[in-house]
Amino acid sequence: MNDVIRCRFAIVGGGLWGTSIAYHLADLGVDDVVIVERWDIADGSSWAAAGFVGQVRHRRSDVELIKYSAGLYAELESAYSGSTGWGGEGSLRISYTSERSAEFSLLAEQCTSLGVPTSILRGLELAEIAPTLNLDGVDSALWLPTDGSIVPEKLARMLASGATAAGIQVLADVEAYRFDMKAASISGLESSAGRIVADHYIVAAGMFTPQLIATAGIGLPLYARQANYVVSNSVPDDRLRPLPTVRVPDQQYYARAADSRIAVGATRRAPVFALAEDVPNGRRAHTNAITDLGGVVPDAERLIPALAEAGLSHAVTAFESATSDGRFIIGPTQVPALTVVAGGQGYGVAAAGGIGRAVARELVGAPAEVDLSDYRPSRFGSAPRSVDAALLEDIRQSYGDRYRIAAVQS
Ligand SMILES: Cc1cc2nc3c(=O)[nH]c(=O)nc-3n(C[C@H](O)[C@H](O)[C@H](O)COP(=O)(O)OP(=O)(O)OC[C@H]3O[C@@H](n4cnc5c(N)ncnc54)[C@H](O)[C@@H]3O)c2cc1C
């Protein structure tokens, strides 16, 4: 096919972020949009995600983006049952120390001030919400009834089908090769389906973003980071539920019921970092070799006895996009008509709904509902550096320090 494809917006990437942007453009009445996806919907990082949707974050705009997402996922699930796998089970953030509990009180205040319902639970009240947990030694828990979990692939497909129902095209199995530049502007996008000419280009290509934007002369400090979680064998329903999603910052893990199994992931335990070009470049590239997640599994087994009884079935270990300062990259670049949306780093599923809406509104000139200034590419200066081996080493070293300070963000 060598025809020129013309459209108002060309989105590269059919992951959760690209499909959410398309869904929200359709919602704003814009259908002259194509999504260019080199494999199929969700085949990058999105399919691999554990599906946690948690609204507790330190950054106000993060909370606002995720709050919108949680509402959207619940709404889509109630309108189209089974479409997103939204559980609506709420979340518990568990504290074993009075210091951590004091921190939870501050987080609760921030969430409440942003309209996210929270409460601090102890004793019987806590046992009622989480009868399947072993609460020995627990000091308190932060309860968010509007948190939950989804099945990321189902959600991405739901968003894509919402967009296509409105007339947006998904070009699956089409790879975007490079931007053609005329002076300092984009004259087209070369792809395996031919040339695409759009009024505006949005690169939402996850961990592969750096290679594509480099062809437009843009460097941004994006790299790839490995994330993983283990999955138990089947657990009888009465041993498993009710189980809110659980996060334990003191022991750096999180867990949730996933169908009839339990998924447990570790936060910030010596993750593997990679340059974008060194990431295994295959469809759904991952391994499922069981890991002890840096030693957190015994802690999780103590809190969730059904996990110990069931034993582990497999793990999911895959790469995702991350940024040098731990914040998303969302917004226009120095190249006219080119927006970059990347760097999901562990909470891109949770934020996808809010990001899609915010970006779509910005693209059509609708008033902003969330302040995106913390996420702008311009924060890295006028000629940002892309990540090379030396910068990756700096990032690796500062990562541990950063998250020792902000360990509650898991
Ligand atoms: C193991 C694991 C667990 C996770 N758990 C959670 C969780 O519980 N909660 C949470 O909120 N987040 C989680 N995440 C993070 C989350 O998965 C990501 O932040 C999110 O999926 C990012 O979506 P995306 O659309 O930006 O990227 P992707 O899903 O990677 O989508 C990018 C798409 O672009 C396509 N693409 C790339 N280059 C090109 C090109 N040149 N031409 C055409 N197409 C191209 C790719 O094929 C891909 O489909 C987890 C991640 C991993 C790896």
Side-chain angles (χ1 to χ4, degrees), residues 143-187:
W143 165 237
L144 277 86
T146 56
D147 271 2
S149 59
I150 53 123
V151 179
E153 179 167 2
K154 280 190 174 183
L155 174 63
R157 291 195 176 279
M158 170 76 227
L159 295 170
S161 64
T164 49
I168 286 174
Q169 268 192 77
V170 176
L171 304 179
D173 294 316
V174 172
E175 178 163 1
Y177 295 140
R178 74 192 146 274
F179 288 107
D180 280 340
M181 305 299 291
K182 212 177 226 172
S185 294
I186 298 173
S187 59

Side-chain angles (χ1 to χ4, degrees), residues 16 51-52 78 99 111 125 139 152 157 172 192 207 269 301 306:
L16 268 168
F52 286 78
S78 71
E99 292 79 7
C111 283
E125 261 189 331
D139 186 66
R157 291 195 176 279
S192 55
M207 60 197 160
R269 295 256 169 157
E301 287 176 340

Side-chain angles (χ1 to χ4, degrees), residues 310-401:
L312 298 182
S313 151
H314 63 276
V316 176
T317 299
F319 279 94
E320 60 168 332
S321 172
T323 60
S324 59
D325 63 0
R327 288 187 245 156
F328 302 143
I329 291 181
I330 303 174
T333 61
Q334 68 269 35
V335 171
L338 178 58
T339 288
V340 173
V341 192
Q345 49 213 335
Y347 64 114
V349 169
I355 288 175
R357 181 172 167 99
V359 172
R361 289 181 70 79
E362 180 158 273
L363 289 170
V364 301
E369 297 167 333
V370 177
D371 178 4
L372 299 178
S373 51
D374 277 352
Y375 311 121
R376 296 308 196 191
S378 55
R379 72 185 186 269
F380 299 111
S382 56
R385 180 178 162 197
S386 30
V387 177
D388 54 18
L391 182 52
L392 191 66
E393 190 46 40
D394 289 350
I395 293 169
R396 189 180 280 119
Q397 280 180 11
S398 64
Y399 179 86
D401 297 340

Side-chain angles (χ1 to χ4, degrees), residues 12-18 36-53 174-177 204-209 212 225-229 254 316-321 341-351:
V12 180
L16 268 168
W17 288 17
V36 183
E37 168 54 53
R38 73 163 145 199
W39 296 313
D40 200 353
I41 297 300
D43 275 352
S45 299
S46 294
W47 75 273
F52 286 78
V53 178
V174 172
E175 178 163 1
Y177 295 140
M207 60 197 160
F208 304 107
T209 297
L212 187 58
R225 198 167 73 203
Q226 214 177 47
N228 51 15
Y229 55 94
Y254 51 90
V316 176
T317 299
F319 279 94
E320 60 168 332
S321 172
V341 192
Q345 49 213 335
Y347 64 114
V349 169

Side-chain angles (χ1 to χ4, degrees), residues 179-348:
F179 288 107
D180 280 340
M181 305 299 291
K182 212 177 226 172
S185 294
I186 298 173
S187 59
L189 175 65
E190 295 303 330
S191 81
S192 55
R195 187 176 170 78
I196 298 169
V197 177
D199 295 344
H200 200 110
Y201 303 85
I202 301 99
V203 179
M207 60 197 160
F208 304 107
T209 297
Q211 291 100 319
L212 187 58
I213 61 176
T215 67
I218 295 182
L220 282 171
L222 284 157
Y223 67 101
R225 198 167 73 203
Q226 214 177 47
N228 51 15
Y229 55 94
V230 293
V231 180
S232 74
N233 293 308
S234 266
V235 179
D237 207 54
D238 61 331
R239 300 287 295 126
L240 183 62
R241 291 196 166 82
L243 181 62
T245 66
V246 169
R247 290 177 182 74
V248 188
D250 291 317
Q251 296 167 345
Q252 295 186 303
Y253 71 89
Y254 51 90
R256 78 172 180 97
D259 292 326
S260 62
R261 298 165 189 267
I262 299 169
V264 181
T267 44
R268 298 167 192 118
R269 295 256 169 157
V272 174
F273 293 71
L275 297 174
E277 61 265 31
D278 294 336
V279 171
N281 188 1
R283 192 172 198 150
R284 298 193 174 213
H286 76 292
T287 71
N288 58 8
I290 292 187
T291 141
D292 72 350
L293 297 176
V296 304
V297 172
D299 290 333
E301 287 176 340
R302 257 189 303 281
L303 181 68
I304 312 171
L307 178 67
E309 291 157 23
L312 298 182
S313 151
H314 63 276
V316 176
T317 299
F319 279 94
E320 60 168 332
S321 172
T323 60
S324 59
D325 63 0
R327 288 187 245 156
F328 302 143
I329 291 181
I330 303 174
T333 61
Q334 68 269 35
V335 171
L338 178 58
T339 288
V340 173
V341 192
Q345 49 213 335
Y347 64 114

